[in-house]
Amino acid sequence: MAIIAAIPFPLAWGQSSSVAAHPYLGWSSSSSQSQSSGFLTQANLQAQSDALNTSALEDHGFTYINIDDGWQSGYDSNGRPTPNAALFTDIAGLITHIHQNGQKAGIYWRPGVASEVVQSNPLIAGSTHHINDILASPKAAGNAFAASDETSSLSNYKIDFTHAGAEQYVESIVNQFASWGVDYIRLGGVAPGAGVSTVDNQLEVQAWSQAIAKAGRPMWLTVSTDVELSDFSTWGAYTNARRIGAAIECNGACGTLTDWALTSQRWFDLIGWQTFTSLQTGWNDLGPLEIGAPATTGLTSVEQQSAITLWAMANAPLYLGGDMSAIDANGINLLTNDEVLGVDQANAPATQIAGGLTPVWVSDMGNGAYYVALFNLNAFPAEVTVRWKDIGFPDATSVRDVWTRKDLGEVKQKFSSVILGHGARLLRVTKHGAVDLQKSQSYVAFLGRTHGKTAFIRCPTYCASGHEVIKLGMEEQNYVDIEGVNAPHTGIYRMKIDAATIGPSDLFYQANGGAQVAVKLGGGSFGVPAYTIVPVPLKAGDNTLRFTNPTGIAPYLDRVTIIGEGDLPASPISVYDAEVATLAGNATHAPCLYCSGNTQVAPLGGELKNNVRFDNIVVSGAGMYALEIDYVTKGMRALWVKVNREKPFLLNLSGDSASLPTSIVVPIPLQAGKNTITIGGGEEDAPAVDKIVIGPTTQANNLAMGLVSRKGSSDARIWTLELANFGKDDLKAAQLNAMTLVQADGPGACQPTLSTALPIVVGDIPAHSFKTFDLALDFSECAGDARFNTSASYSSDLGTIAAGVIDVALEQ
């Protein structure tokens, strides 16, 4: 928060307490427009308003109906935008209808002056000046969208707010919106932002804020998209929210509204903005929540719950995308949990205390109470732990699960939970006592030993040392070694990394020549470092930490801080990026924005020699492990996986995007110590590989699954399974979340397919009871005497009870 304190804030015209005392809840047309070019019509918007009005959501505070870009066509005699008459016959009447439904109406516009208005040069309403009187000279792009145009064909021109009439033009548009009854304005294409630094709309944003204040109608003002963080003194003073990160919608990159790769990036985008949000400075807008049927939204119900949890912890506006009338019962259930909505409305945005793929975010309520969210961004169930001392107290007198609304009682020292892949837990914690601040030591990066093209530049305002190290990416020889990092004991420490970036980028860190570990960051400026906290193994005495990204984009590094006494437990989960593995044949690395390390490895098919080999896969004991493979493919393609000297097994993988990674989890046997995993595509085209993750199996308290019987033909089998509750309490909404079979033995090579869609909701299970269910499998490509290893995950009570298990050598 010291960064915020150092920024001078002018009078906050846009911060109306009556409008933005809390983040708003509602719906936006943007996601539906991304899938259907013909969606934006008055009839469709009215139908969405009616659907919200008749749903349970409006009673829980969802009241905004926001019209996104595309509503406008042409301009009036004063250069103000007019609705497209073919789409909106009466936009004021539509807004009246929205208001009659007890809702608020939003609209989208953009900075600058459109070229057709410049050509007609009308008189500005309420002024004696014309449009050409307010343009910048020489003519320049007026927003980020127009910035790529040649000057001779600009689509939008910059306003010079030192010219008389400029403020009146903005006021005339705001007054027009007010006359229609608009309650919310999203100003899109605002720069600096979205990688555009040649346009500066800060004075125009200030003019919009002041025009809203003068209009006599309270209106929320959001700027988008991905605005420059170093200009926060403007955004914090003159807006109610700012969109962070790139668009969350697939926009043709996949066949659904969004997917996990795009949505999960928000965990990293938020790192850069986590301390830049408050009641006084406005809220971080993470984009629309895609909630509803997984086949449409692109997110499983577990992933939707995780997204809502992050949005709530961030105190972000909660607005939905997609069709309001198509939100399923599970989505309604998630969105009408008033305790979760209360987290979002608590005016206490969270900060991260642990990062990586099992991040923990904490919101301090200031009265001894905290909200604590634990996430598992891996694809398989994993145990996630938060130590109370890392928050600042030794024990918790009470812990409440917010999603299930259950009190868990007193919890000493730490809280641990097995969390489903891509899942979350959300707690309300009351502290007891206090602990001393953990010892820490910082090391500035620019005093490290640079190699290759790596250099340092001045960063006088926001960086700890006044400098940051740049050019850490794209080549193996570009790295910085921070030497003399002293540790009092051998152990695993918390390492706080301060680095700056725009959009997703990764640093690989390495301690004393050990394994390279990628950590993804996001942010809104190369000049404003943000922090994430990850575990690092150190030996007693001096250590050397290396930072690089051998193939992808790297953030600018400011400093690292070593925290604690080296008493973090070792994680049983290991991540191995494909680009730092051994590549054979024609396999090479290629850019992949949302992949780990910003890199994928391809081609892995076409020839047997094209593969990627992961050496030094180290586990503490022999047994069966979960292997997550993150890959990229559009359509169905095959990979072959070979573990040590075992027979390779076949994976028939499907994907929906040529640019966004997805995951599969399979069971593999590993030996104690070092192992080797080789992945290739054989002679056919194969998916690209991003990374692999290795983790142990995880059991669930009181909930177990077993195979009861098999029936049907040898090709089409029906397995009857049971979920058994061994506990004294009833379990709610038990389900089988995932299952994968791979061949372990027998002639030929095949992968059975599941004919039953997952998840399978089994339902409530009384104490000391069980429920059975059927699962249909297709073994038609498999030999009759083949045997299979199976990995599965199952859960109950909204994921508060979860397990990831492996069965070996099962027959058809």
Side-chain angles (χ1 to χ4, degrees), residues 132-467:
N132 282 319
D133 297 333
I134 68 172
L135 299 182
S137 180
K139 288 184 171 66
N143 58 43
F145 301 132
S148 60
D149 290 355
E150 297 293 334
T151 302
S152 60
S153 60
L154 285 172
S155 61
N156 183 286
Y157 291 85
K158 181 176 178 60
I159 299 172
D160 185 339
F161 282 88
T162 65
H163 291 181
E167 292 181 357
Q168 285 87 344
Y169 180 60
V170 171
E171 289 171 7
S172 72
I173 299 175
V174 169
N175 289 337
Q176 176 175 261
F177 290 163
S179 72
W180 295 347
V182 166
D183 306 289
Y184 165 103
I185 298 170
R186 177 184 166 200
L187 201 61
V190 171
V196 174
S197 59
T198 56
V199 176
D200 191 338
N201 293 127
Q202 291 184 77
L203 289 177
E204 186 156 357
V205 169
Q206 179 176 335
W208 277 79
S209 176
Q210 293 171 340
I212 290 171
K214 293 171 66 175
R217 179 177 185 82
M219 285 182 271
W220 179 293
L221 179 61
T222 289
V223 291
S224 68
T225 296
D226 204 11
V227 292
E228 170 66 38
L229 179 56
S230 63
D231 297 317
F232 185 74
S233 58
T234 295
W235 321 134
Y238 295 106
T239 74
N240 301 115
R242 71 287 317 174
R243 275 283 306 274
I244 69 171
I248 204 169
E249 296 92 348
C250 282
N251 287 311
C254 68
T256 48
L257 289 172
T258 187
D259 75 348
W260 178 248
L262 289 168
T263 303
S264 63
Q265 177 57 36
R266 287 296 185 259
W267 273 260
F268 307 104
D269 291 328
L270 192 58
I271 290 171
W273 289 87
Q274 61 183 317
T275 57
F276 290 85
T277 179
S278 68
L279 172 62
Q280 292 74 31
T281 59
W283 312 107
N284 290 331
D285 183 340
L286 304 186
L289 282 165
E290 311 298 0
I291 306 298
T296 302
T297 63
L299 300 177
T300 68
S301 59
V302 172
E303 291 165 349
Q304 292 174 38
Q305 181 182 347
S306 293
I308 295 172
T309 303
L310 182 71
W311 266 241
M313 289 294 288
N315 290 184
L318 301 182
Y319 58 99
L320 309 176
D323 184 354
M324 281 294 307
S325 65
I327 297 180
D328 57 12
N330 180 74
I332 295 293
N333 182 53
L334 293 175
L335 293 166
T336 55
N337 184 319
D338 288 329
E339 289 195 29
V340 176
L341 298 180
V343 178
D344 181 71
Q345 303 290 293
N347 288 350
T351 54
Q352 188 195 86
I353 66 162
L357 295 177
T358 53
V360 178
W361 290 76
V362 175
S363 171
D364 184 353
M365 300 300 294
N367 56 359
Y370 298 80
Y371 288 118
V372 180
L374 298 82
F375 299 98
N376 176 22
L377 304 185
N378 299 293
F380 53 79
E383 186 173 48
V384 183
T385 298
V386 56
R387 305 186 305 178
W388 302 138
K389 73 175 184 178
D390 293 334
I391 303 176
F393 52 90
D395 299 308
T397 57
S398 67
V399 174
R400 180 173 174 82
D401 187 282
V402 178
W403 275 112
T404 61
R405 311 183 206 197
K406 290 183 178 179
D407 292 322
L408 307 181
E410 181 182 18
V411 178
K412 292 185 175 296
Q413 296 185 340
K414 64 181 181 180
F415 178 89
S416 294
S417 176
V418 174
I419 298 178
L420 286 168
H422 303 170
R425 294 290 304 272
L426 179 57
L427 311 173
R428 182 180 174 93
V429 177
T430 302
K431 73 174 185 178
H432 172 70
V435 295
D436 293 335
L437 190 67
Q438 295 184 47
K439 295 179 180 179
S440 65
Q441 177 64 49
S442 293
Y443 302 85
V444 294
F446 92 97
L447 293 179
R449 190 183 298 274
T450 57
H451 299 262
K453 298 176 183 177
T454 301
F456 61 86
I457 60 172
R458 284 187 57 76
C459 173
T461 305
Y462 299 107
C463 293
S465 64
H467 299 80

Side-chain angles (χ1 to χ4, degrees), residues 768-782:
H768 306 296
S769 185
F770 65 89
K771 280 194 174 180
T772 61
F773 59 98
D774 289 340
L775 180 68
L777 300 103
D778 181 355
F779 288 95
S780 59
E781 301 296 323
C782 303

Side-chain angles (χ1 to χ4, degrees), residues 499-513:
T501 181
I502 294 177
S505 62
D506 292 63
L507 271 176
F508 285 80
Y509 67 92
Q510 183 181 32
N512 302 316

Side-chain angles (χ1 to χ4, degrees), residues 618-629:
V618 179
V619 295
S620 58
M624 298 298 297
Y625 288 80
L627 166 65
E628 172 188 338
I629 302 175

